[in-house]
């Protein structure tokens, strides 16, 4: 039976659901590459707009992580996919890190967690000392929970820094005192407009040089880097210039298959938001690399790129809306409500295309449930099938 979907041009199209989902998969972590999936959070729909701050459905949120671990993927916690800086405050993020770290220990799952400066008031000027102290608080909490930290880009630092020397001073101090190697995160302005000019330069070549200088001064304190600038050539260049032993975790949700596959000499590991909705395919692709089957890897992962490019289309920062929509359609959570009301951040035609692309990939364990939920969403918005 066809479903009537709205199009971006104001018209409609008929779509016949696929009805051929991927079978459930349970496996251990991949060996050829390290795969982390940034994981979304599930809001409490009865309290998601509470004035006291964001309220999560903890059981459903942790179930997202357990499902990723069961498929052999690591979890990147409390980062932008979890609405960090877009509805998730530091107090809730700190509790999320604590709970996820405990779950990771229980199942032997890989875990990295975001540490930033978002406990500082937005819009107010902050000194470098205050920014450093905020980073130190979050780094200490993450490491005390037993997790590896991802030093996330800081809006406060972007506003306060006078030039590259301030980034060198702040990050250098943090690396010297970290208890274990960290992951450095370069999040481009397409994900967060307030991070424009990060590393002290608008010019990306000059910014790259500063980023690499920070790593070169303390390579033993850097497990890896996550590059999220949606520029495959730049990532390949950075990858070639990294010190030995420092990983490159691609954060490029447009070009990830080719970057993970590598160029015959070097390859990227992965820390990606798209792995949350495409986990069944990403897990199988990782196993293909373990078997020494790069062709099978690309045959699995390449078809997911149109969905990823759609979810991460400008304004890219709203990609979380599509991620949560697909989790609801897949039956992994019981509602399509997000912290801060972010479920309204994308248009109905955008969501309809996300459904169509995901269904075509076989990402819905119960296609009839996904179709029914999509029909109900359309009906609420005035579209009848």
């Amino acid at each position: 039976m066809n479903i009537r979907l709205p199009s971006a041009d104001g018209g409609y199209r008929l779509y016949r659901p696929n009805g051929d989902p991927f079978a459930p998969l349970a496996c251990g972590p991949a060996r050829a590459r390290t795969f982390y999936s940034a994981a979304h959070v599930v809001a409490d729909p009865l309290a998601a707009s509470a004035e006291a701050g964001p309220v999560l459905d903890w059981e459903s949120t942790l179930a997202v992580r357990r499902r990723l671990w069961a498929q052999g993927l690591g979890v990147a916690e409390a980062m932008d996919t979890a609405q960090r800086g877009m509805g998730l405050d530091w107090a809730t993020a700190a509790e999320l890190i604590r709970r996820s770290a405990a779950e990771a220990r229980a199942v032997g799952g890989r875990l990295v967690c975001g540490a930033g400066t978002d406990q500082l008031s937005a819009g107010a000027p902050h000194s470098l000392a205050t920014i450093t102290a905020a980073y130190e608080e979050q780094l200490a909490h993450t490491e005390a929970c037993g997790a590896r930290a991802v030093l996330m880009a800081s809006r406060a630092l972007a506003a306060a820094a006078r030039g590259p020397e301030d980034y060198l001073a702040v990050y250098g101090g943090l690396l010297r005192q970290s208890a274990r190697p960290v992951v450095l995160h370069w999040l481009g302005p397409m994900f967060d407009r307030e991070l424009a000019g990060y590393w002290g330069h608008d010019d990306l070549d000059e910014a790259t040089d500063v980023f690499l200088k920070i790593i070169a001064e303390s390579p033993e304190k850097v497990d890896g880097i996550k590059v999220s600038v949606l520029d495959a050539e730049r990532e390949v260049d950075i990858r070639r210039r990294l010190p030995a032993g420092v990983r490159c975790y691609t954060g490029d949700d447009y070009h990830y298959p080719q970057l993970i596959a590598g160029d015959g000499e070097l390859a990227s590991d992965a820390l990606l938001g798209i792995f949350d909705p495409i986990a069944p395919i990403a897990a199988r692709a990782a196993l293909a690399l373990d078997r020494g089957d790069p062709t099978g890897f690309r045959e699995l992962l390449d078809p997911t790129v149109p969905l990823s490019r759609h979810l991460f289309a400008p304004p890219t920062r709203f990609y979380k809306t599509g991620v949560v929509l697909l989790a609801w359609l897949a039956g992994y959570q019981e509602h399509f409500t997000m912290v801060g009301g972010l479920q309204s951040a994308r248009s109905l035609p955008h969501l309809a295309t996300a459904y169509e692309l995901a269904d075509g990939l076989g990402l819905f364990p119960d296609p009839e449930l996904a179709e029914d939920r999509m029909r109900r969403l359309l009906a609420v918005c005035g579209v009848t099938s």
Side-chain angles (χ1 to χ4, degrees):
M1 183 176 180
N2 293 332
I3 180 171
R4 186 167 175 252
L5 299 177
S7 301
D9 61 4
Y12 294 91
R13 65 188 183 280
L14 293 179
Y15 172 70
R16 180 175 293 278
N18 176 23
D20 186 21
F22 274 91
L25 173 72
C27 63
R31 300 183 304 277
R33 302 285 190 277
T34 298
F35 278 19
Y36 285 107
S37 170
H40 75 279
V41 294
V42 182
D44 180 338
L46 302 181
S49 299
E51 293 182 3
V55 181
L56 301 186
D57 176 339
W58 287 109
E59 177 51 35
S60 296
T61 293
L62 294 175
V64 172
R65 283 110 184 106
R66 289 192 291 266
R67 187 173 64 254
L68 293 170
W69 283 318
Q71 296 175 91
L73 301 177
V75 169
E77 186 57 275
M79 297 185 66
D80 46 308
T81 302
Q83 294 183 242
R84 194 74 181 270
M86 293 186 68
L88 191 76
D89 59 15
W90 166 238
T92 311
E95 180 63 11
L96 180 60
I97 291 168
R98 186 190 69 78
R99 293 187 186 221
S100 290
E103 291 282 339
R105 287 193 297 273
V107 301
R110 289 174 174 163
L111 180 72
V112 293
C113 298
T117 65
D118 51 332
Q119 70 270 54
L120 300 177
S121 56
H126 300 285
S127 68
L128 292 181
T130 299
I131 293 166
T132 300
Y135 261 129
E136 290 171 341
E137 177 190 355
Q138 296 200 15
L139 176 61
H141 173 77
T142 299
E143 293 185 333
C145 291
R148 186 184 302 280
V150 179
L151 291 184
M152 299 192 301
S154 164
R155 293 172 179 171
L157 181 55
R162 295 162 296 180
E165 64 281 356
D166 288 339
Y167 289 92
L168 289 164
V170 171
Y171 278 90
L174 292 169
L175 290 176
R176 283 191 294 273
Q177 65 184 283
S178 62
R180 58 190 300 191
V182 305
V183 177
L184 296 181
H185 188 191
W186 183 359
L187 190 68
M190 67 288 296
F191 288 92
D192 189 336
R193 292 171 295 186
E194 295 183 50
L195 298 177
Y198 213 73
W199 311 117
H201 292 287
D202 289 315
D203 181 88
L204 291 183
D205 291 335
E206 294 181 304
T208 297
D209 289 341
V210 176
F211 184 47
L212 290 170
K213 184 176 181 181
I214 290 171
I215 298 166
E217 291 181 351
S218 302
E220 75 284 355
K221 287 299 190 77
V222 182
D223 167 72
I225 61 166
K226 171 176 159 59
V227 183
S228 300
V229 294
L230 303 182
D231 182 338
E233 291 184 5
R234 182 164 304 279
E235 180 172 325
V236 169
D237 175 64
I238 291 173
R239 192 169 69 191
R240 290 173 179 159
R241 297 165 64 185
L242 288 174
V246 177
R247 297 175 180 269
C248 181
Y249 295 101
T250 187
D252 189 330
D253 297 278
Y254 283 8
H255 308 101
Y256 52 95
Q258 68 199 62
L259 290 165
I260 298 169
D263 56 14
E265 296 181 9
L266 296 172
S268 295
D269 295 282
L271 197 166
L272 289 163
I274 190 56
F275 279 179
D276 184 320
I278 70 164
I281 300 176
R284 286 171 167 84
L287 293 177
L289 284 181
D290 284 353
R291 295 193 303 270
D293 181 10
T295 300
F297 168 82
R298 294 297 296 265
E299 288 175 348
L300 282 162
L301 215 54
D302 282 357
T304 68
V305 172
L307 171 63
S308 189
R309 286 178 175 257
H310 178 72
L311 295 183
F312 286 79
T316 303
R317 64 188 181 278
F318 293 132
Y319 75 89
K320 300 92 165 167
T321 301
V323 170
V324 175
L325 169 80
L326 298 183
W328 173 59
L329 294 177
Y332 298 142
Q333 59 190 75
E334 292 305 313
H335 59 82
F336 178 40
T337 302
M338 297 177 67
V339 171
L342 207 62
Q343 68 273 9
S344 65
R346 291 294 202 184
S347 69
L348 190 62
H350 178 93
L351 300 179
T353 299
Y355 159 73
E356 181 179 353
L357 291 171
D359 180 72
L361 291 169
L363 289 172
F364 300 133
D366 184 342
E368 291 183 359
L369 174 66
E371 179 184 351
D372 177 68
R373 288 186 170 183
M374 192 66 215
R375 288 184 187 277
R376 284 192 279 147
L377 177 62
L378 293 170
V380 167
C381 297
V383 178
T384 56
S385 298

